[in-house]
Amino acid sequence: MIDRLLELKGRVILHLPPHIEDVRPFTWRGFKSDVRYTYQVELPYQIEEASKSIRNKIKKASSLGYYTVKSNNMDHAYQCLIETEQRQGFSHQLSVEDLKLAQDLMGEEAFRCYICYSPEGEPVSTNISLLFHPEWATGWIAGTKSAHLQNGVVQMLQLFEFEDLTSIGVKGFDFTGANIESVSNSKASWGGDLVPYYVLRRPSFKDIARAGIDWLQFNYKQSRGKR
């Protein structure tokens, strides 16, 4: 794998699954490693593991008439992703055609899309997860329309996904990342285990700029902490 990665052109970044704990062969060949974190939950999921806030939000969404389904409608999923991008100021760098291609290549069993709908049938939230192993699901992308964020649709959709994955024999779910404080807090509310994983990258000239940015961010956070 290392020899192949060294042959690639451009940036090389590799996110390893949490169960790979020894990255020394990569660092011995000059790769840089960073430790990041994610939350994992075991399935079948017990709703009692979730915080009271999550349970209340699920009840709210249900009382308002929202409903969730497993779906193949990438146009509806894309609507939710786009609105999240606009709200948070980033891009998934995906088109509807990309989603449809991924769905075709991976197949319906491994590419699992879930959508929450309003009582009127409007798609309001989506989760897309991937099964690289039949007993383990990895959350890939998610998005929710702003007008429905406070109605519990995200939590209702996530619980539905857990239940669907359990029905096909999946034993665990990886939320894929908990490195931003606000994101970590929301995922921690599901009561899963916090686990580390490694990110490997081939050094580049951008490391010089990255070192400067890291220094500026560190000093900024220290100055905020003194207020």
Side-chain angles (χ1 to χ4, degrees), residues 32 38 51 66 70 74 78 84 89 94 103-104 128 139 192 218:
K32 299 298 182 182
T38 186
S51 67
Y66 290 95
K70 181 178 179 297
M74 294 301 103
Y78 190 70
T84 292
L94 293 167
Q103 185 181 50
D104 290 341
I128 299 180
F218 176 80

Side-chain angles (χ1 to χ4, degrees), residues 114-127:
Y114 304 91
I115 300 178
C116 180
Y117 289 90
S118 71
E120 295 75 30
E122 175 192 2
V124 299
S125 186
T126 188
N127 282 357

Side-chain angles (χ1 to χ4, degrees), residues 19 45 57 60 69 91 148-149 172-173 184 197 201 204 207:
H19 68 269
Y45 184 76
K57 287 179 178 178
K60 179 178 181 180
V69 299
S91 173
H148 304 268
L149 266 176
F173 179 84
S184 177
Y197 68 94
R201 55 186 172 81
S204 68
D207 287 331

Side-chain angles (χ1 to χ4, degrees), residues 71-85:
S71 175
N72 294 323
N73 193 322
M74 294 301 103
D75 293 292
H76 284 182
Y78 190 70
Q79 292 178 30
C80 302
L81 296 177
I82 283 295
E83 185 150 339
T84 292
E85 291 179 5

Side-chain angles (χ1 to χ4, degrees), residues 17-19 27 32 36 84 109 117 122 137 157 189 198 200 220:
H19 68 269
T27 60
K32 299 298 182 182
R36 298 187 185 178
T84 292
E109 287 302 306
Y117 289 90
E122 175 192 2
L157 183 62
S189 298
Y198 286 101
L200 301 167
Y220 173 71

Side-chain angles (χ1 to χ4, degrees), residues 4-216:
R4 174 58 180 150
L5 291 174
L6 291 173
E7 293 174 356
L8 299 176
K9 304 297 183 182
R11 296 181 67 197
V12 174
I13 300 177
L14 182 64
H15 293 248
L16 296 178
H19 68 269
I20 298 181
E21 300 175 346
D22 186 359
V23 299
R24 292 175 301 166
F26 290 91
T27 60
W28 290 336
R29 296 288 296 275
F31 282 82
K32 299 298 182 182
S33 66
D34 296 308
V35 178
R36 298 187 185 178
Y37 294 87
T38 186
Y39 279 99
Q40 296 181 337
V41 297
E42 293 183 358
L43 302 177
Y45 184 76
Q46 305 299 322
I47 190 58
E48 292 77 17
E49 296 180 24
S51 67
K52 183 178 180 180
S53 173
I54 284 182
R55 297 197 301 270
N56 287 340
K57 287 179 178 178
I58 293 172
K59 291 178 182 177
K60 179 178 181 180
S62 179
S63 67
L64 291 174
Y66 290 95
Y67 61 97
T68 54
V69 299
K70 181 178 179 297
S71 175
N72 294 323
N73 193 322
M74 294 301 103
D75 293 292
H76 284 182
Y78 190 70
Q79 292 178 30
C80 302
L81 296 177
I82 283 295
E83 185 150 339
T84 292
E85 291 179 5
Q86 295 170 346
R87 182 176 65 250
Q88 298 185 2
F90 77 100
S91 173
H92 288 99
Q93 298 183 338
L94 293 167
S95 65
V96 174
E97 289 71 26
D98 292 328
L99 296 177
K100 292 178 179 178
L101 177 60
Q103 185 181 50
D104 290 341
L105 291 174
M106 294 194 69
E108 192 172 321
E109 287 302 306
F111 183 97
R112 306 188 74 81
C113 175
Y114 304 91
I115 300 178
C116 180
Y117 289 90
S118 71
E120 295 75 30
E122 175 192 2
V124 299
S125 186
T126 188
N127 282 357
I128 299 180
S129 295
L130 310 176
L131 272 65
F132 300 111
H133 186 282
E135 293 189 356
W136 197 263
T138 300
W140 181 36
I141 49 177
T144 302
K145 294 184 177 179
S146 302
H148 304 268
L149 266 176
Q150 303 305 315
N151 293 340
V153 296
V154 174
Q155 294 75 20
M156 176 189 237
L157 183 62
Q158 188 64 71
L159 181 61
F160 177 86
E161 178 177 0
F162 287 162
E163 293 170 345
D164 177 74
L165 292 171
T166 298
S167 72
I168 61 170
V170 176
K171 305 298 183 184
F173 179 84
D174 189 328
F175 276 102
T176 318
N179 302 293
I180 300 172
E181 187 174 0
S182 59
V183 173
S184 177
N185 291 338
S186 65
K187 293 179 179 180
S189 298
W190 288 96
D193 296 324
L194 180 67
V195 296
Y197 68 94
Y198 286 101
V199 177
L200 301 167
R201 55 186 172 81
R202 188 174 60 189
S204 68
F205 285 111
K206 290 185 177 181
D207 287 331
I208 300 173
R210 184 180 292 110
I213 293 173
D214 289 344
W215 182 84
L216 291 171

